[in-house]
């Protein structure tokens, strides 16, 4: 009888636990518990190659706006056979290239990985530093200083680093982009190589002594084959220009264009224009920069024999030309539409090479972006949508005058950059000024300016916790050692930029909402409108590879993308 009573009590306890779990899920309306178990990936079937693709300055709506014009082998191959996270966002500011690429691969935000902008004011060195610059290394592959770069300013590691550690350095990592930062930061600290494009008069792919002393044979062969010069051709629309109905008029006042050509209209004779636009540098601001990147990525795939064994390799590819073109012509331009139609074909070429070299079902792809972009404010304003431009020189002069009147000095502000005010701590000490009080007064002064929407103190960013809104996004981008003393954000659609072309950097959806597509080995077909954030990518790939998360990762694995 005692045994039966004991069993009954255990059975009753078990049933109560199960009932409590289901009751909790019913009352909270959450299916997270169920989803976690149903969508857990099968461990042990790792892809031979992971290909990370970052399309620089790609808004989410470029997938939908141009969808009907894409072929079946590029974007549509990922959309129709992979998993689409339709509500994917950056969860920090500033939304720039350096922070974006770092966040995709480290699984965290600038608060932890430390890449707070493309360039920032170094409070210790009293100078502006670039996110990838490194004077301790030298250029490999060119006679210029464009190779003096490394990832040493990135504080945390990437999932590519963790894959290297997990495989005892046998899994390769290769980073490729026209921009140095778009190649170096994704590849991480332990990469076999990162390559970027040195235009000018040489037009070569280069690297730095951080990775190697001499270029591999396949890279030298690529450079010596004169693969760049043929792209100095005429850029005309891929299809008849009258069919480009997803864009504005080709001739308008919102585009900058190229030096040496009066109107920013098709066609563009690149060979004739190169002399006034940096020679080979002009290729960056055309779709042919993406084609060149694809050529080099395929050469790397073959030259490095990526995905040829059962040890997972990582290929990090960033398409930079989309950003140059967006800055130049704006997000509503025919040039942007044509660029994405051509990129679609380049992606198809890359995917076909992966099929041939690695094998269908043996590789996994994710595609995302490092930030979006705003419509040209002048165009928005003329369309009766609130928008405008910010005169930062005027803001600096007004703040300087305020400091003179309020604190009796013109030297209190040391630097203003990246929407941050850096105070001179020596002046604070000499004047016996309280830092918190000065921060607060400058915050209140900034809020009086018409173009400024929000302002916060560095003290609040370092001592309080913000969970939602712009405050949380600023905090996720705030590094206590590197960021400023007062941080501000402009009104929606207001930018400090030229009146032609688009830019980015804000907390608004046009800058934060970017694609996130997964495809290939271990990935199911589907989509979700649940909100995902950029730091979720790295832990998702880490789970797929069954490796440790990057050491600073704050994101969550997206179990819904896995194929069971």
């Amino acid at each position: 009888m005692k045994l039966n009573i004991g069993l009954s009590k255990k059975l009753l306890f078990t049933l109560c636990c199960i009932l409590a779990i289901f009751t909790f899920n019913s009352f909270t309306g959450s299916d997270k518990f169920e989803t976690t178990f149903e969508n857990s990936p099968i461990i042990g079937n790792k892809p031979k190659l992971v290909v990370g693709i970052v399309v620089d300055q790609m808004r989410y709506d470029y997938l939908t706006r141009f969808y009907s014009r894409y072929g079946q082998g590029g974007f549509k191959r990922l959309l129709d056979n992979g998993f689409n996270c339709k509500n994917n966002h950056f969860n920090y500011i500033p939304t720039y290239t350096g922070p974006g690429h770092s966040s995709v691969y480290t699984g965290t935000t600038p608060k932890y990985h430390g890449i707070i902008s493309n360039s920032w004011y170094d409070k210790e060195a009293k100078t502006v530093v670039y996110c990838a610059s490194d004077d301790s290394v030298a250029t490999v592959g060119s006679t210029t200083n464009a190779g003096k770069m490394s990832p040493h300013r990135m504080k945390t590691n990437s999932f590519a680093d963790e894959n290297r550690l997990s495989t005892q350095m046998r899994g390769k990592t290769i980073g490729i982009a026209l921009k140095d930062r778009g190649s170096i930061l994704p590849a991480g600290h332990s990469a076999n190589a990162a390559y970027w494009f040195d235009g000018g008069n040489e037009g070569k792919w280069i690297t730095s002594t951080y990775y190697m002393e001499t270029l591999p044979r396949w890279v030298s062969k690529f450079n010596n084959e004169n693969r760049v010069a043929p792209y100095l051709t005429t850029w005309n629309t891929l299809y008849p220009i009258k069919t480009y109905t997803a864009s504005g008029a080709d001739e308008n006042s919102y585009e900058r264009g190229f030096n040496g050509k009066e109107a920013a209209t098709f066609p563009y004779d690149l060979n004739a224009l190169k002399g006034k636009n940096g020679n080979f540098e002009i290729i960056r601001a055309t779709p042919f920069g993406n084609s060149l990147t694809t050529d080099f990525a395929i050469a790397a795939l073959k030259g490095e024999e990526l995905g040829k064994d059962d040890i997972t390799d990582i290929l990090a590819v960033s398409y930079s030309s989309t950003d140059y073109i967006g800055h130049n012509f704006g997000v509503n331009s025919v040039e942007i539409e044509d660029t994405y139609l051509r990129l679609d074909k380049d992606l198809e070429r890359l995917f076909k090479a992966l099929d041939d070299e690695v094998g269908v079902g043996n590789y996994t792809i994710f595609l995302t972006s490092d930030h979006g972009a705003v419509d040209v404010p002048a165009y928005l304003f003329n369309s009766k949508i609130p928008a405008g431009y910010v005169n930062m020189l005027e803001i600096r002069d007004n703040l300087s005058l305020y400091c003179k009147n309020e604190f009796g000095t013109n030297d209190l502000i040391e630097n203003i950059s990246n929407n941050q005010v850096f105070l001179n701590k020596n002046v604070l000490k000499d004047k016996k000024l309280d830092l918190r009080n000065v921060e607060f007064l400058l915050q209140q002064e900034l809020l009086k300016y018409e173009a400024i929407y929000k302002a916060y103190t560095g003290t609040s960013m370092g001592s309080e916790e913000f969970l939602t809104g712009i405050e949380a996004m600023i905090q996720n981008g705030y590094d206590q050692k590197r960021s400023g003393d007062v941080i501000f954000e402009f009104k929606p659609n207001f930018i400090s930029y030229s009146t032609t072309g688009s830019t980015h950097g804000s907390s608004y959806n046009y800058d934060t909402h970017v694609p996130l597509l997964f495809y290939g080995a271990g990935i199911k077909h589907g989509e979700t409108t649940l909100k995902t954030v950029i730091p979720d990518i790295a832990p998702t790939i880490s789970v797929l590879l069954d490796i440790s998360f990057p050491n600073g990762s704050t994101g969550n694995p997206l179990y819904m993308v896995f194929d069971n």
Side-chain angles (χ1 to χ4, degrees), residues 180-336:
D180 47 54
R181 59 187 181 272
S183 169
I184 292 168
L185 299 173
H189 298 278
S190 61
N192 299 81
Y195 301 102
W196 53 97
F197 183 65
D198 187 10
N201 296 323
E202 298 194 16
K204 293 181 178 179
W205 289 89
I206 65 170
T207 187
S208 82
T209 52
Y210 179 87
Y211 304 99
M212 62 192 73
E213 294 299 322
T214 59
L215 290 176
R217 183 177 300 174
W218 69 266
V219 179
S220 296
K221 182 175 182 290
F222 189 98
N223 284 336
N224 293 333
E225 286 177 345
N226 198 29
R227 302 281 292 275
V228 181
Y231 286 123
L232 289 173
T233 183
T234 297
W235 175 20
N236 209 340
T237 52
L238 189 61
Y239 305 107
I241 196 167
K242 65 181 180 181
T243 66
Y244 285 69
T245 57
S247 307
D250 184 34
E251 186 169 1
N252 59 71
S253 60
Y254 310 120
E255 303 171 3
R256 186 161 53 254
F258 295 108
N259 296 329
K261 190 174 191 298
E262 185 175 345
T265 56
F266 285 100
Y268 299 96
D269 185 342
L270 303 183
N271 192 52
L273 293 169
K274 67 179 182 180
K276 294 185 177 181
N277 294 275
N279 292 324
F280 285 114
E281 284 292 308
I282 195 174
I283 293 174
R284 294 179 184 270
T286 75
F288 306 127
N290 292 332
S291 300
L292 177 62
T293 302
T294 304
D295 294 343
F296 193 76
I298 293 173
L301 183 68
K302 296 175 181 179
E304 296 289 344
E305 297 186 331
L306 299 176
K308 290 295 187 180
D309 55 31
D310 292 331
I311 301 174
T312 303
D313 298 322
I314 308 293
L315 176 60
V317 181
S318 178
Y319 286 104
S320 307
S321 290
T322 42
D323 184 68
Y324 290 112
I325 295 164
H327 278 293
N328 193 346
F329 298 97
V331 304
N332 197 46
S333 63
V334 176
E335 286 81 0
I336 274 290

Side-chain angles (χ1 to χ4, degrees), residues 18-90:
I18 293 173
L19 179 62
I21 290 171
F22 280 101
T23 301
F24 174 79
N25 283 323
S26 298
F27 277 103
T28 60
S30 171
D31 61 355
K32 186 174 182 180
F33 178 84
E34 181 182 358
T35 300
T36 300
F37 284 90
E38 285 192 358
N39 292 327
S40 295
I42 298 172
I43 303 301
N45 187 23
K46 301 179 184 180
K48 293 183 177 182
L49 176 66
V50 171
V51 182
I53 300 173
V54 177
V55 183
D56 207 323
Q57 201 188 119
M58 184 176 183
R59 293 161 48 120
Y60 178 83
D61 64 348
Y62 291 165
L63 286 177
T64 55
R65 184 171 142 201
F66 309 135
Y67 180 85
S68 64
R69 308 203 72 187
Y70 291 142
Q72 295 301 314
F75 286 114
K76 281 186 178 178
R77 181 172 178 179
L78 306 186
L79 287 165
D80 296 348
N81 299 284
F83 198 94
N84 183 7
C85 298
K86 303 177 77 170
N87 190 19
N88 182 62
H89 289 263
F90 282 88

